Amino acid sequence: AGRHHRGMNRELFVVFRPDERALAAIPARHVRETMRPLPLEPLHGAPAFVSGAAVVRGKVVPVVDAAKLVSGQASTATRWIALQIGTRSAVLAVHQVLGVQPLDVVKEPAPLLAGAARGAIDELASRDGELLAILRASRLIDLGEAARGPDAR
């Protein structure tokens, strides 16, 4: 028997750590690029999970702190994931980007936002429904799933 199951729906995900402990993945179709952090300007009146704004490829974009969004706790972001949100862009500041990997698309993944800080989901929904939809398509993954790789079954 082969190690690949027909009919299994797989999609490419960018695997990252929002903080030092968690492991997460976002559908690669929403990711434009990953990069080192750039200079950041504060955004007055922005939600706590928005670190500020940065100029990326000539456009001013909001920078969302993945750790604050997921757990409510700050973490040191060493990489940024630039997201395409329709005609707009945003950046997800993360602790570490581990790479691109095909993962099974499951009906009930452990959602990235499951442990989101109180009120963060409501605030994000009221401010940016498209970004919320992309983050809801993202998920927390376990180390075993990431270690199995694309051919493991």
Side-chain angles (χ1 to χ4, degrees):
R3 295 173 72 158
H4 177 71
H5 289 132
R6 286 197 177 149
M8 197 52 87
N9 190 11
R10 294 179 68 77
E11 183 176 347
L12 286 177
F13 283 81
V14 174
V15 179
F16 66 95
R17 290 189 180 281
D19 57 27
E20 293 86 358
R21 298 166 306 283
L23 192 61
I26 190 165
R29 69 181 182 276
H30 299 298
V31 176
R32 206 173 67 228
E33 66 182 306
T34 64
M35 65 189 75
R36 289 186 302 265
L38 298 171
L40 198 58
E41 291 294 324
L43 279 177
H44 301 289
F49 55 82
V50 175
S51 301
V55 177
V56 177
R57 305 263 181 234
K59 294 181 179 178
V60 177
V61 298
V63 178
V64 175
D65 183 326
K68 278 187 184 175
L69 185 62
V70 171
S71 68
Q73 302 297 314
S75 179
T76 302
T78 62
R79 297 296 290 177
W80 284 3
I81 300 173
L83 303 173
Q84 190 65 45
I85 308 162
T87 59
R88 299 173 300 111
S89 299
V91 168
L92 194 59
V94 302
H95 180 70
Q96 183 180 22
V97 174
L98 300 172
V100 177
Q101 181 170 328
L103 297 172
D104 291 335
V105 177
V106 294
K107 290 182 181 177
E108 297 295 328
L112 175 66
L113 301 177
R118 183 181 303 270
I121 301 293
D122 293 337
E123 182 141 15
L124 187 56
S126 70
R127 292 177 182 260
D128 196 333
E130 286 179 286
L131 177 57
L132 178 60
I134 289 171
L135 293 175
R136 281 192 169 147
S138 303
R139 64 191 206 186
L140 293 172
I141 57 176
D142 66 43
L143 292 173
E145 180 180 8
R148 283 194 296 270
D151 296 325
R153 279 287 144 247

